[in-house]
Amino acid sequence: IKKSTANTANTANANNQVQNKPVTPSNKQSHKVVSGDSLWAISERYGVSIQQLKTTNNLKSDIIYVGQTLKV
């Protein structure tokens, strides 16, 4: 069995099928929120803490909205 060394993140699509998505390096400047995103999932994907996301984006709560662009 050959193991892939590529960094991937598992996500579920609308039909609850798990898909592997490449993890974007943390030097990317922003992330556009899509349906199903959470601060936890975004923090895991980019290797930052939830508190860092909230502070960087001046978020007062854990609520994010589809279409919102977050600095990462």
Side-chain angles (χ1 to χ4, degrees):
I1 299 174
K2 187 175 181 181
K3 250 187 169 179
S4 172
T5 57
N7 290 333
T8 59
N10 291 331
T11 58
N13 64 15
N15 297 324
N16 288 328
Q17 297 170 322
V18 176
Q19 299 174 326
N20 286 329
K21 283 186 172 180
V23 173
T24 306
S26 61
N27 62 358
K28 183 173 179 181
Q29 297 299 311
S30 64
H31 173 85
K32 189 163 187 174
V33 177
V34 296
S35 180
D37 273 351
S38 66
L39 286 178
W40 177 83
I42 296 167
S43 71
E44 288 290 307
R45 182 173 187 174
Y46 293 98
V48 298
S49 71
I50 292 170
Q51 190 57 51
Q52 285 173 307
L53 284 173
K54 289 174 71 172
T55 301
T56 302
N57 292 284
N58 298 314
L59 300 175
K60 306 288 187 246
S61 72
D62 293 337
I63 299 172
I64 55 176
Y65 300 95
V66 171
Q68 185 175 7
T69 300
L70 299 175
K71 297 174 192 169
V72 292

